[in-house]
């Protein structure tokens, strides 16, 4: 039976992702704050950015869930194949 490949994420990669996300969100917030427009335009842009951020989290979760389902079904198929191969005896002859 083959060992399933486990995805690995190092602490450095995770930290880099968190810092990158924080820097992007902070730069957008600073940019919206310094725009030479009325307050309601800033509020609209702020809500739009927050909506984009939350929907991107939702999309990432959906993609992850779909990959987990596909991985699970392939593991089940692999287990069935492994069982069939372990039960198969190539030297067994059928009685006629």
């Amino acid at each position: 039976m083959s060992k399933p490949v486990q995805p690995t994420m190092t602490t450095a990669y995770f930290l880099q992702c968190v810092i990158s996300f924080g820097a992007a969100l902070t730069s957008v917030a600073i940019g919206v704050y310094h725009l030479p427009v009325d307050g309601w335009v800033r509020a609209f842009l702020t809500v739009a950015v927050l909506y984009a951020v939350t929907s991107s989290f939702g999309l990432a979760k959906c993609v992850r869930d779909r990959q987990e389902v596909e991985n699970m079904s392939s593991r089940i198929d692999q287990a069935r194949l492994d069982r069939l191969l372990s039960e198969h005896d190539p030297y067994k002859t059928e009685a006629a």
Side-chain angles (χ1 to χ4, degrees), residues 3-33:
K3 181 179 176 183
V5 176
Q6 294 293 329
T8 59
M9 181 187 313
T10 63
T11 305
Y13 177 73
F14 179 75
L15 188 61
Q16 178 185 358
C17 290
V18 170
I19 290 171
S20 175
F21 175 75
L25 201 57
T26 302
S27 64
V28 168
I30 291 171
V32 169
Y33 179 75

